[in-house]
Amino acid sequence: MTLTELEAQCQKCKNCVLGETRTNLVFGAGVPNARVMFIGEGPGENEDLQGQPFVGRGGQFLDTMLKIINLDRCKNFYITNIVKCRPPKNRDPQESERAACMSWLRPQIELISPKIIVCLGRIAAMTLIKSDFKITREHGQVFEKDGIYYMAIYHPAALLRDPYKRPDTFEDLKALQELINSVCPEVYAG
Ligand code: URA
């Protein structure tokens, strides 16, 4: 199975109620064999309309921040979400919806085979790192599971809302850059 084949199957998904209300399913974007993967919570309005992850204000802010550490979704990372369809009114995706969508995210991660996964916000961190993850206390920390290094940073929407969180995220991104340099320096080679 290739990533393109997985996406073609996923595009038809009706495994949960979010499939009833989506305009477009948002599978993911970026480099298909990237060493670094960013995972958010779920598509918002702009993403639902365009079928692409993180293309609204938060996504543009994220792209600007990541450029500072030489990360570019066209060159060296892949980006997706825990749930592939927009939750109505941007509510948090429910546990059952997240669980249903893991049947797409799991093989997606296996096919991309990243060395580092960065969770964007609390929901992604609770789903992928540990269920009691506390973003205010544990952002920027590195967790290793099955040969993959995980880190969570504040969600870009939270950073837009609360500029006082930005210095912490700047430190987290510097830590991420160091992690990349030690685990997969080839990210910066090409
Ligand atoms: N917020 C997310 O978590 N994901 C997106 O794709 C857009 C906004």
Side-chain angles (χ1 to χ4, degrees):
M1 163 95 63
T2 65
L3 198 61
T4 310
E5 286 163 352
L6 184 71
E7 173 165 8
Q9 287 187 12
C10 184
Q11 287 290 347
K12 296 182 258 175
C13 180
K14 293 277 175 178
N15 290 349
C16 81
V17 291
L18 300 183
E20 308 301 324
T21 50
R22 70 174 177 240
T23 311
N24 288 294
L25 184 140
V26 181
F27 184 71
V31 179
N33 61 350
R35 307 284 75 198
V36 184
M37 201 167 163
F38 286 81
I39 305 184
E41 143 184 350
E45 185 181 13
N46 290 294
E47 292 75 21
D48 175 68
L49 291 173
Q50 296 182 42
Q52 294 294 320
F54 284 97
V55 287
R57 260 184 83 220
Q60 286 163 20
F61 186 63
L62 179 68
D63 283 344
T64 306
M65 284 193 308
L66 294 183
K67 279 228 165 77
I68 296 170
I69 57 163
N70 294 315
L71 291 178
D72 179 330
R73 68 171 82 182
C74 299
K75 293 201 186 108
N76 51 15
F77 70 86
Y78 189 90
I79 185 160
T80 186
N81 284 296
I82 298 287
V83 296
K84 311 298 192 216
C85 300
R86 182 191 181 198
K89 299 187 186 150
N90 296 348
R91 65 162 170 73
D92 287 350
Q94 289 169 2
E95 163 118 51
S96 60
E97 295 157 354
R98 289 188 269 139
C101 227
M102 281 307 289
S103 64
W104 299 114
L105 184 57
R106 236 178 270 112
Q108 191 176 23
I109 292 173
E110 265 166 37
L111 286 165
I112 294 166
S113 190
K115 288 301 293 175
I116 299 172
I117 292 181
V118 183
C119 298
L120 297 167
R122 180 183 63 95
I123 300 271
M126 284 171 58
T127 312
L128 296 175
I129 300 176
K130 53 180 180 160
S131 57
D132 62 348
F133 194 90
K134 296 280 178 291
I135 191 82
T136 46
R137 272 215 312 270
E138 295 175 294
H139 66 82
Q141 291 182 22
V142 179
F143 299 79
E144 204 238 299
K145 276 205 284 187
D146 303 325
I148 299 179
Y149 295 90
Y150 291 82
M151 179 193 282
I153 63 173
Y154 285 116
H155 193 282
L159 295 171
L160 284 177
R161 269 195 312 269
D162 182 0
Y164 290 104
K165 290 193 164 78
R166 293 180 196 173
D168 276 356
T169 301
F170 188 63
E171 293 303 315
D172 294 347
L173 291 177
K174 283 200 292 189
L176 173 61
Q177 187 176 33
E178 274 174 30
L179 184 66
I180 293 171
N181 274 323
S182 75
V183 173
C184 43
E186 66 273 21
V187 168
Y188 291 134

